Amino acid sequence: MDYFRGFEKNSAVRGIFGEETEKVLRNLKVDFIWFGYMGVSDDDGHLMVNKRYLSTGRTEDIYLDVIHELCHVKQHMEGKELFDPRYDYVDRPTEIEAYRYAVQEAKRIGLSAAEIRVYLKTEMMSTQTLDKLIKNMNINIEKS
Ligand SMILES: [Zn+2]
């Protein structure tokens, strides 16, 4: 609540935590790191954010990443294994759920299918892997 202002009023965030939204966000620790983008600690479920990404990333990307990571916060609260090594990244159920939710929000804020593909494709992801992720999400990014 100190660093990401107003998220407790955001409909997508409320969709994740419901009545518990304020309580969860008030207690959610944010750790500033110097690598990657954003992540959630598998130990205690706190949020880790690259400070450089916050100052150089695109606003929509950062916003959607926060939504994605908050899904992981919720999954961690439910006792789910966030980094289950039995799955490849794009096949992991916790990732598919978080990506689906972020893409739903991306559509709501008006991103086009092409923009959503750009958002989803990180530099470590090949086009085939991206297509697999989109297929796994079982979501039509062309239309709302
Ligand atoms: Zn994730």
Side-chain angles (χ1 to χ4, degrees):
M1 280 190 172
D2 294 334
Y3 297 102
F4 297 94
R5 299 272 170 84
F7 272 80
E8 72 278 9
K9 298 185 192 75
N10 178 279
S11 62
V13 177
R14 299 200 74 88
I16 300 170
F17 301 110
E19 304 274 288
E20 301 281 289
T21 303
E22 279 89 0
K23 192 177 144 215
V24 173
L25 295 193
R26 203 178 308 118
N27 293 311
L28 182 62
K29 191 179 120 192
V30 180
D31 209 358
F32 292 102
I33 54 174
W34 295 100
F35 59 91
Y37 299 99
M38 280 186 214
V40 168
S41 156
D42 205 23
D43 298 328
D44 63 1
H46 80 269
L47 189 60
M48 297 178 292
V49 180
N50 183 344
K51 243 184 156 159
R52 199 172 296 124
Y53 175 50
L54 278 191
S55 55
T56 60
R58 294 189 320 160
T59 309
E60 300 94 318
D61 291 350
I62 294 169
Y63 171 67
L64 294 172
D65 283 0
V66 171
I67 301 297
H68 175 114
E69 296 307 330
L70 288 176
C71 287
H72 288 323
V73 169
K74 167 84 174 194
Q75 291 162 347
H76 183 271
M77 287 166 60
E78 291 171 340
K80 289 181 186 155
E81 161 83 83
L82 297 184
F83 302 102
D84 194 330
R86 289 175 300 162
Y87 299 97
D88 284 340
Y89 181 71
V90 297
D91 293 323
R92 199 172 291 146
T94 49
E95 289 306 334
I96 294 167
E97 184 183 32
Y99 274 115
R100 269 188 124 242
Y101 200 69
V103 165
Q104 192 183 305
E105 181 62 5
K107 285 162 68 170
R108 195 189 67 82
I109 64 172
L111 265 67
S112 68
E115 288 167 329
I116 291 172
R117 284 183 69 93
V118 170
Y119 165 67
L120 291 172
K121 192 178 175 310
T122 62
E123 66 276 5
M124 48 257 198
M125 206 182 270
S126 68
T127 306
Q128 291 94 315
T129 310
L130 172 68
D131 288 336
K132 195 172 181 208
L133 173 65
I134 291 171
K135 185 172 166 281
N136 286 345
M137 282 192 288
N138 192 24
I139 194 168
N140 183 3
I141 61 171
E142 306 296 331
K143 298 182 197 73
S144 53

